[in-house]
Amino acid sequence: RLELQTIEYKTSLDKSIDNDSQDSIIDLLIILKDIPMTYELLKSTLIGHSLNNAKKKYPNTKIAQLAKEIINNWKNKCSKPSENNQFSQDSSKSLSNITDEDGNINLSIDKSNEIETKTTVDIPFDYKALLKNYSDGRIKIIELISSHLRADCDDEAAKFLSFCIEDAVNSKYDNEADKKEYKDKLKSLSFNLKQNKVLREQVINGSIQMNDLVNMSANDLATEETRIARGKIAEASFNERRSDMYELKRS
């Protein structure tokens, strides 16, 4: 499903570039920024080529800035998959199909004005004992989610919550019986917990319960900016189809 969705975004992006529709390009780039990209997805969709085309056609613009940010992010996250680690984020091997022509994309994020407040937790639990009989794959994804949650809570809280998140997913999608659904849901949750600060805070303060979190759609998990951009794309696509139908009736 994600591959088909990415291909659809690529087609829309290529068409928007050809039509010089810069607002549509920006909306699509905002959506692509939140796609949980993988090496396999880049290889099968060639979406990296479309981003490079947008960056080259609109230098020194918001489009070029967004495209560079996405390319840089994908270069860091996507490498040839490791046989021993389904969730590997080794960035030592970059991909030629998303590499900038000058090979040097630098982004700086100023966090000097941010005030960090982290939630603490006092829960008597033995983390190592809980994971004693867990497979390496389950432990790795729990630790990955924990690393995202630590942005807004202490280490103990992050460990406990990530354990609960994985347990809730495993209860719905058994990691052995429904392996693909299990991995897809955890990848989606991990990605969005990293990107969406509001979602992280809601999970940490308990306003979103684990069972509710597991049943949230990709749109529910996304940032508000991404949801707005997706809405604009859907509306534009609907209006285009309606216009095509009108032209067919006239002819």
Side-chain angles (χ1 to χ4, degrees), residues 97-135:
N97 67 325
I98 61 167
T99 302
D100 181 54
E101 66 270 13
D102 57 16
N104 186 23
I105 302 173
N106 295 310
L107 296 174
S108 59
I109 301 174
D110 183 10
K111 294 187 177 181
S112 58
N113 294 323
E114 290 187 7
I115 301 174
E116 291 190 6
T117 58
K118 293 192 174 184
T119 300
T120 59
V121 66
D122 184 18
I123 301 173
F125 77 106
D126 189 335
Y127 183 70
K128 289 184 178 179
L130 287 172
L131 301 183
K132 184 178 180 181
N133 297 319
Y134 276 38
S135 66

Side-chain angles (χ1 to χ4, degrees), residues 159-193:
K159 286 179 178 179
F160 179 76
L161 290 169
S162 61
F163 173 84
C164 292
I165 290 170
E166 191 280 338
D167 185 64
V169 173
N170 188 51
S171 295
K172 182 172 183 179
Y173 309 104
D174 186 276
N175 73 93
E176 294 298 332
D178 302 309
K179 188 170 291 187
K180 186 179 186 304
E181 290 81 358
Y182 167 84
K183 288 180 179 178
D184 287 347
K185 174 55 73 171
L186 280 169
K187 285 180 180 179
S188 176
L189 287 172
S190 175
F191 176 81
N192 285 289
L193 284 168

